[in-house]
Amino acid sequence: MLTLYGETLTSRLLLGTAQYPSPAIMAEAVRASACDIVTVSLRRETAGNRTGGQFWELIRELGVRVLPNTAGCHSVKEAVTTAQMARELFGTDWIKLEVIGHHDTLQPDVFGLVEAARILSAEGFQVFPYTTDDLVVAERLLDAGCAVLMPWCAPIGSARGPVNVDGLRAIRAHFPEIPLIVDAGLGRPSHAGMVMELGFDAVLLNTAVAKAGDPAAMAAAFAGAVEAGHVAFRAGPLEPRDMAVPSTPIIGKAVFE
């Protein structure tokens, strides 16, 4: 079981709701993933062709928890205002906080992120910050009131998979009791399995599923990989070795001359 801000969840996969060919395909993927949480961009839903009411009704039918996000926000004021609007619309104190600092890489503005997290935490929000794997930034976010961290493994939508495994391993080791959700850059189920084997608590996906040839099948594949990686971590995987080690013992074997 996974516990986030006091809520117990059965799935360790969080799924985004953007970029699908249609709402029906999105719903099919969510069901196939068996996820408990979906992320929703307030900007995307209010600016798109779908009405907010229709989309919200679809989410209710799926029976999943909504994690609104501040996707597309490039300043503290913008992110805080969007979070406040999302709380009114979706009726939740949960917010995935994004403050983007670089247009090309979509890298977080970590200075603005910490400031916005402090403001929102003081207003009673339960913040899920999209951040880098920097340990100092992580400490500042925890000091600001966050009880969950969401480090990236590669730029949003890049599908590159973990580009700094040592950094991810370090943040996991440095914060053993903090729920860590890898967010952004996962492209294949094997990437999800890899980060879960490092001991992360969950992963958040969107583009890798939404843009797949068969989103529902890909969602199911990611769900299986996430679970397999988690079980493997709990089982204690064998660490890599520099030398070959025989799997059959040689002591006690007959010697022929």
Side-chain angles (χ1 to χ4, degrees):
M1 294 290 190
L2 173 64
T3 301
L4 302 173
Y5 285 110
E7 295 290 331
T8 300
L9 309 163
T10 58
S11 173
R12 294 176 181 272
L13 174 62
L14 290 71
L15 203 60
T17 56
Q19 304 187 66
Y20 290 87
S22 71
I25 292 175
M26 182 272 291
E28 186 180 1
V30 171
R31 293 189 184 98
S33 74
C35 68
D36 295 320
I37 299 173
V38 297
T39 61
V40 176
S41 168
L42 175 66
R43 287 179 163 225
R44 187 177 297 114
E45 298 316 317
T46 55
N49 293 326
R50 294 172 292 188
T51 66
Q54 290 175 331
F55 181 77
W56 182 228
E57 184 60 34
L58 177 59
I59 295 298
R60 289 187 185 210
E61 291 174 2
L62 291 171
V64 291
R65 176 151 190 163
V66 170
L67 174 59
N69 68 39
T70 62
C73 293
H74 291 260
S75 71
V76 172
K77 182 178 180 180
E78 197 176 16
V80 169
T81 300
T82 300
Q84 293 166 339
M85 293 171 63
R87 179 158 63 180
E88 291 297 320
L89 179 60
F90 296 108
T92 179
D93 290 328
W94 282 18
I95 191 71
K96 182 194 168 191
L97 180 61
E98 298 182 26
V99 182
I100 301 301
H102 193 275
H103 289 278
D104 293 331
T105 65
L106 301 181
Q107 181 169 328
D109 170 0
V110 295
F111 305 101
L113 182 68
V114 171
E115 183 181 349
R118 192 178 303 280
I119 293 169
L120 292 173
S121 294
E123 292 184 4
F125 282 90
Q126 295 173 320
V127 180
F128 294 69
Y130 163 61
T131 183
T132 64
D133 54 20
D134 187 283
L135 298 181
V136 177
V137 175
E139 290 277 15
R140 297 293 185 271
L141 288 168
L142 295 176
D143 291 342
C146 299
V148 175
L149 298 174
M150 304 184 76
W152 71 348
C153 76
I156 293 173
S158 67
R160 294 173 60 189
V163 296
N164 184 8
V165 174
D166 289 339
L168 292 175
R169 187 178 284 113
I171 197 171
R172 176 70 284 177
H174 199 73
F175 303 103
E177 304 301 323
I178 301 299
L180 299 180
I181 303 171
V182 172
D183 176 21
L186 297 169
R188 299 176 182 273
S190 58
H191 296 158
M194 183 187 305
V195 297
M196 293 301 292
E197 287 178 7
L198 294 176
F200 283 82
D201 297 284
V203 299
L204 171 59
L205 309 165
N206 192 168
T207 308
V209 170
K211 293 298 187 180
D214 185 337
M218 188 61 76
F222 267 106
V226 167
E227 180 62 19
H230 176 65
V231 172
F233 172 74
R234 294 289 299 274
L238 186 66
E239 292 299 320
R241 299 167 174 174
D242 293 331
M243 300 291 291
V245 178
S247 57
T248 302
I250 60 174
I251 298 176
K253 292 180 63 177
V255 177
F256 298 97
E257 296 183 356

